[in-house]
Amino acid sequence: MNIVIINGSLRKSGATASILDEFKQNLSLHEDVEVSYFQLSDLKVEYCQGCCACYKTGSCFIKDDCEKLSLAISEADGLIIGSPTYASGVSGKLKTFIDRGHFVVEQLLSNTCALSVATYENAGGSSVSQFLKNLFVLSGANNIGNLTVKVPFGENPLNQESTNKKALALSNRLYRAIQKKSSPNLFDLIYHSIALRFVLKPLVKRKGKAYQGVLDRWKKLGISS
Ligand SMILES: Cc1cc2nc3c(=O)[nH]c(=O)nc-3n(C[C@H](O)[C@H](O)[C@H](O)COP(=O)(O)O)c2cc1C
């Protein structure tokens, strides 16, 4: 199985990276797991221009690393996104990628199990987890959970024994969910199907040929329009 990990912090050896490395090590203990680790700060990620051309063509006209990363995510069995808390939200670079990454309308995470990691120093970490959970569920993922860790700036969150334990438990939960191809919980299933049926499908229908790229992707995924 193929698991993509994305570090949304610009600090390659920071608190978020430490926890994501722990996930990588835990998951790599399984012989059938291959982890692809993406450090977002190493990638070229331009701002979304809001032209909506990708909805028609299926891909963005900007030549940077976003399409490559979205493709890796769409082909993955599992996804872990980590972010520090910046002003009660995800990092700017991660948000810029999410805007470009074809997540919700294109149902990028259909057939993917996803979990999030959020670190914070004072307050607002739960807003990051909630934002990523919402993104996962609306994009069609099986949301496995989140690890939200409060840690003083510059300290290693793995010095807290509870962080190691939670990371191991969540790594195992992610592995088992992928292995069993398990479905999202009932609440997430209902939330996702309401969003798909009453919000996304009417939008895509209204847009017609302007959203041909979305229709093509839905067809591949077996989602009726
Ligand atoms: C620009 C900036 C904004 C931040 N905003 C918050 C915040 O709103 N709430 C909070 O608890 N911590 C905030 N922090 C602290 C970081 O979220 C926290 O130290 C995090 O663990 C850093 O992760 P990293 O080492 O992976 O980059 C902020 C840090 C920076 C640099």
Side-chain angles (χ1 to χ4, degrees), residues 27-106:
L27 289 161
S28 299
L29 293 175
H30 300 280
E31 277 182 359
D32 56 345
V33 170
E34 194 179 316
V35 175
S36 308
Y37 190 102
F38 293 91
Q39 175 62 46
L40 216 47
S41 59
D42 287 342
L43 302 183
K44 199 168 173 218
V45 179
E46 303 288 346
Y47 291 115
C48 174
Q49 301 293 312
C51 67
C52 296
C54 61
Y55 294 132
K56 186 169 188 174
T57 64
S59 60
C60 183
F61 73 92
I62 301 171
K63 300 290 170 242
D64 60 8
D65 294 319
C66 282
E67 290 298 316
K68 194 178 66 182
L69 184 51
S70 287
L71 183 66
I73 293 171
S74 75
E75 290 174 346
D77 303 298
L79 171 69
I80 302 176
I81 297 185
S83 179
T85 303
Y86 280 3
S88 301
V90 295
S91 72
K93 186 122 188 188
L94 179 57
K95 181 62 168 63
T96 303
F97 170 64
I98 289 169
D99 292 348
R100 294 274 313 288
H102 308 289
F103 279 88
V104 177
V105 180
E106 293 91 335

Side-chain angles (χ1 to χ4, degrees), residues 7 9-11 13-18 83-89 118-125 149 151-155:
N7 183 15
S9 172
L10 286 261
R11 285 157 38 89
S13 306
T16 315
S18 301
S83 179
T85 303
Y86 280 3
S88 301
T119 64
Y120 68 110
E121 188 175 32
N122 186 38
V149 179
V151 56
F153 186 80
E155 278 191 21

